[in-house]
Amino acid sequence: MCIRDSYYIGQQFRNDTKLSYSKGRIKFLSGLEFRNSQLQGNYRTHSYFATEAPISEDLITEETALGSAVEGGNQFNINDFSVYSQFSYRLLGSFLHATIGGRYDYNQIRKTGGFGSLFSPKAALIANFKPAVAKLIYSQGLQNPSQWTTYSTAGSRIANPELIPEKIQNIELTLMSPDEHAPFQWLANTYYSLITDAISLASDPDNVGKSKHQNNGTYNIIGAQFLFKYNPTKKISIDFNTTYTNAKEIDKDEIIGDIANFRSNAGITYRMKFKKNRFTINLLANYVGARPVGENTTVPANAGIEDGEIPHYVAMHSTLSYWNENYSNLRIQFTLNNLLDQDYYHPGQRTANANSATVIAGHNPWVVQPGRYSFVKLTLGL
């Protein structure tokens, strides 16, 4: 019998230097970042052998690197260099603030690899009205593929050193209450994001029967959120937030699976004091809307639980905390989750692109969540 563990080992040197300046209406921030990383491309494995008959000591343990099919071996020298700056100026007294900035990234893998140079700009306007503060922000960013995504191989999957970073453009508008210490605080936000060169695993057009990670996706995401916090007295706090998300894969005209359009959370906290003893009771409710799967989504093989979706649910939780003012660094907390013992489900791990008849290789379509359960937490601050 052979038991195999897969793992990564890496080393990194990092330096981050910042400079800030502020005077009158001007604020300036700039920084320089450098990283040198020694990372493996593919998993390293450690195998344990157990047999009835004695075997050679040389075979008891074995360390190796799964073939990455990339010249130069499994170890990669990576240099990352970044420069970022942000300039802010206060216009019209304290009414209007303007900010511009950007980040330059340079990435080199060995001598000829890496994505090279990329620049990500940012701009923002902040207007301080008396009843509200308004923020308009435009930004760009990137996410470099991991070593595993780029170089790891297993089964029919092959490496793809030609991967480039995923890129995002984002614009958002926020309105919020001006006083963060007021008894009633609120925030409303809406945004639009465009993600290009998104990475996913797909068949290799140049190798029949093989697959590799590719920059083959474009995502369009529209969202909004609203939240408020109300403290009618020092003893009571009420919190509420809700979000809306509409995400699509543009090129294939598919809904991004496993994402609920609506999510909401509502909670109330009550604080009590008896001499030097303090108690806090919190009640929280979580709502998650139905998550689409199956046909016309990015997980077409997932049949869902009912009507081609993972159903919505409401789960309630409660927490009781206690501490004594003489020993404020020592606290005890009792939590009871899923108060109503609801049956509800989350999407499966990895791609979750499977159905109940093809639950293999970790592609579970959905995972049932725990029923009612409790735990006690003891915290000691030093």
Side-chain angles (χ1 to χ4, degrees), residues 197-223:
D197 296 320
I199 297 172
S200 64
L201 187 65
S203 298
D204 185 356
D206 300 321
N207 293 277
V208 177
K210 300 292 185 179
S211 62
K212 66 181 181 181
H213 287 99
Q214 303 172 45
N215 297 100
N216 56 3
T218 303
Y219 298 152
N220 188 354
I221 306 172
I222 299 173

Side-chain angles (χ1 to χ4, degrees), residues 97 107 132 135 151 224 330 359 375:
H97 296 251
N107 170 262
K135 298 181 180 181
Y151 298 110
L330 179 63
V359 182
F375 63 88

Side-chain angles (χ1 to χ4, degrees), residues 31 34 38 42 53 104 138 145 155 157 163 173 239 244 277-278 292 295 297 306 315 331 335 345:
F34 172 75
Q38 302 294 323
N42 211 340
Y104 166 82
Y138 172 80
R157 188 178 70 245
L163 284 177
L173 174 64
D239 298 90
Y244 169 77
N277 299 296
R278 291 184 174 269
E295 189 177 357
T297 75
E306 56 183 45
R331 303 192 178 198
T335 299
Y345 309 84

Side-chain angles (χ1 to χ4, degrees), residues 203-344:
S203 298
D204 185 356
D206 300 321
N207 293 277
V208 177
K210 300 292 185 179
S211 62
K212 66 181 181 181
H213 287 99
Q214 303 172 45
N215 297 100
N216 56 3
T218 303
Y219 298 152
N220 188 354
I221 306 172
I222 299 173
Q225 65 173 330
F226 174 76
L227 62 88
F228 73 81
K229 182 175 183 179
Y230 179 48
N231 301 312
T233 69
K234 292 183 178 180
K235 292 183 177 181
I236 300 175
S237 297
I238 301 172
D239 298 90
F240 173 80
N241 65 76
T242 186
T243 62
Y244 169 77
T245 306
N246 187 323
K248 291 185 177 181
E249 212 289 338
I250 297 177
D251 297 332
K252 300 178 182 178
D253 192 25
E254 293 178 341
I255 298 171
I256 299 178
D258 303 333
I259 297 178
N261 286 134
F262 290 97
R263 294 174 178 260
S264 300
N265 303 288
I268 182 169
T269 302
Y270 182 73
R271 305 171 186 86
M272 298 182 296
K273 181 179 179 182
F274 178 71
K275 294 184 179 180
K276 292 189 177 183
N277 299 296
R278 291 184 174 269
F279 299 87
T280 300
I281 302 174
N282 174 261
L283 181 64
L284 177 66
N286 303 126
Y287 167 78
V288 176
R291 285 143 292 175
V293 294
E295 189 177 357
N296 298 322
T297 75
T298 54
V299 285
N302 191 335
I305 297 174
E306 56 183 45
D307 300 326
E309 64 183 24
I310 298 175
H312 71 275
Y313 69 85
V314 177
M316 300 187 68
H317 318 283
S318 183
T319 298
L320 172 64
S321 301
Y322 164 78
W323 72 96
N324 185 284
E325 291 179 355
N326 292 332
Y327 308 97
S328 58
N329 61 331
L330 179 63
R331 303 192 178 198
I332 187 169
Q333 185 179 87
F334 173 76
T335 299
L336 184 61
N337 283 333
N338 196 357
L339 283 170
L340 304 180
D341 199 22
Q342 293 284 92
D343 292 329
Y344 66 100

Side-chain angles (χ1 to χ4, degrees), residues 48 95 342 356:
Y48 306 86
F95 171 70
Q342 293 284 92
S356 57

Side-chain angles (χ1 to χ4, degrees), residues 16-32:
D16 191 354
T17 304
K18 295 181 181 180
L19 171 68
S20 62
Y21 173 80
S22 178
K23 184 176 181 181
R25 298 184 176 186
I26 297 174
K27 287 185 179 181
F28 177 77
L29 172 68
S30 187
L32 175 68

Side-chain angles (χ1 to χ4, degrees), residues 8-13 35-41 74-80 110 147:
Y8 270 95
I9 294 178
Q11 296 179 347
Q12 185 178 89
F13 170 80
R35 298 188 304 274
N36 174 261
S37 307
Q38 302 294 323
L39 302 176
Q40 65 190 78
N74 195 42
Q75 198 71 16
F76 293 82
N77 178 68
I78 304 173
N79 288 312
D80 291 284
R110 293 177 176 166
Q147 292 291 98

